[in-house]
Amino acid sequence: MTFLRQVIAYKKYFLDFYTEQPDNVQAKIEWTLNLIRVTPQVSEKYFKHIEGTKGLYEIRIEVGSNIYRIFSFFDKGNLVVLGNAFQKKTQKTPKQEIKKALKIMEEYNNEKGNK
């Protein structure tokens, strides 16, 4: 199986969220991340650019009636970096979560630039 994209978690933002989830949610997260790794054109149902941001995406996961979002961004074209994640309770994505994701993306880029 050829990976078109590599998916990595930056620091513990995503992992802290992931480890708190029940097995069925973790399995769906794994399935969705794998889809992003191997699918040339990923459907917006699973992977969507956040309007009004520069380079921020959300990975979309549904398990039953629960909806989860993982914020991510690209590095070097095909490297998908996972930032914060949360369980979505309303129709709109909370601005606070988007701000946090943008801060994580900035932190990542600053660290990368300093190496």
Side-chain angles (χ1 to χ4, degrees):
M1 183 176 287
T2 311
F3 289 138
L4 301 171
R5 293 174 202 88
Q6 186 184 356
V7 179
I8 63 163
Y10 175 58
K11 294 196 172 169
K12 289 202 178 283
Y13 300 110
F14 164 71
L15 296 172
D16 285 346
F17 171 82
Y18 176 83
T19 54
E20 291 172 4
Q21 303 310 311
D23 289 349
N24 64 329
V25 174
Q26 287 187 4
K28 186 70 183 267
I29 290 171
E30 289 296 327
W31 181 88
T32 308
L33 293 179
N34 200 49
L35 183 81
I36 290 165
R37 285 184 190 104
V38 301
T39 308
Q41 249 341 97
V42 181
S43 163
E44 277 198 354
K45 178 178 175 174
Y46 301 109
F47 195 56
K48 187 174 188 225
H49 180 256
I50 305 273
E51 285 182 30
T53 70
K54 193 173 186 236
L56 190 64
Y57 290 79
E58 65 177 2
I59 297 168
R60 312 167 94 176
I61 295 142
E62 285 183 43
V63 180
S65 61
N66 295 318
I67 298 171
Y68 303 88
R69 295 288 186 260
I70 305 165
F71 286 113
S72 62
F73 49 92
F74 283 94
D75 186 13
K76 294 188 208 112
N78 64 351
L79 177 64
V80 179
V81 182
L82 305 178
N84 55 322
F86 66 100
Q87 184 173 351
K88 201 167 170 189
K89 308 268 191 223
T90 60
Q91 209 48 39
K92 279 184 82 64
T93 300
K95 287 204 182 333
Q96 197 176 335
E97 292 291 343
I98 294 174
K99 276 185 188 161
K100 186 175 175 184
L102 290 168
K103 214 173 213 154
I104 291 168
M105 185 164 70
E106 189 182 337
E107 184 185 335
Y108 175 87
N109 288 326
N110 287 344
E111 269 187 26
K112 209 182 97 196
N114 294 337
K115 285 184 178 166

